[in-house]
Amino acid sequence: MKTMYIYIASSHTQTLYIGVTNDLRRRMWEHKEKQIPGFTAKYNVTRLVYFEETNSSLAAIEREKVLKGWLRAKKISLIESQNPHWNDLAVDWYE
């Protein structure tokens, strides 16, 4: 089984993006380098602030849908329960 990741990325102004990937390191590099045009590139969403792992792509997609349905305050509470200072969890992945 392949590991799947549900993640929340943020800009410095706390604009949030929720996504799913099977390669979190590659996906965050794409966000940081603005390799894919769209929302994250436009709003400078380049910081990994939260992620979960699962071995099921179906479970990952379902969890992404759940998180996207939450109010912003609940998403922030989830992030801060694991990462109270909103540190970039991928900050040293590319050195």
Side-chain angles (χ1 to χ4, degrees):
M1 286 201 166
K2 190 148 186 134
T3 301
M4 298 294 296
Y5 301 90
I6 308 93
Y7 67 95
I8 303 176
S10 174
S11 69
H12 284 287
T13 59
Q14 296 185 347
T15 298
L16 301 178
Y17 175 83
I18 298 173
V20 170
T21 184
N22 63 5
D23 187 339
L24 189 57
R25 188 175 292 261
R26 173 190 48 79
R27 189 68 179 109
M28 286 312 302
W29 181 85
E30 291 169 349
H31 287 308
K32 289 176 182 298
E33 298 297 320
K34 298 177 178 52
Q35 293 291 307
I36 300 169
F39 182 86
T40 59
K42 179 178 179 180
Y43 293 101
N44 203 31
V45 177
T46 60
R47 301 166 67 229
L48 177 63
V49 293
Y50 179 84
F51 68 94
E52 300 175 6
E53 296 179 25
T54 181
N55 288 324
S56 164
S57 55
L58 290 176
I61 292 165
E62 283 303 311
R63 179 65 171 158
E64 178 193 30
K65 287 178 185 177
V66 167
L67 294 181
K68 285 182 173 183
W70 285 3
L71 293 175
R72 178 176 173 80
K74 191 170 179 181
K75 294 173 192 174
I76 289 171
S77 182
L78 177 66
I79 293 164
E80 291 180 347
S81 73
Q82 301 292 316
N83 186 1
H85 301 291
W86 291 66
N87 296 322
D88 183 355
L89 303 174
V91 70
D92 59 356
W93 288 2
Y94 310 103
E95 296 175 0

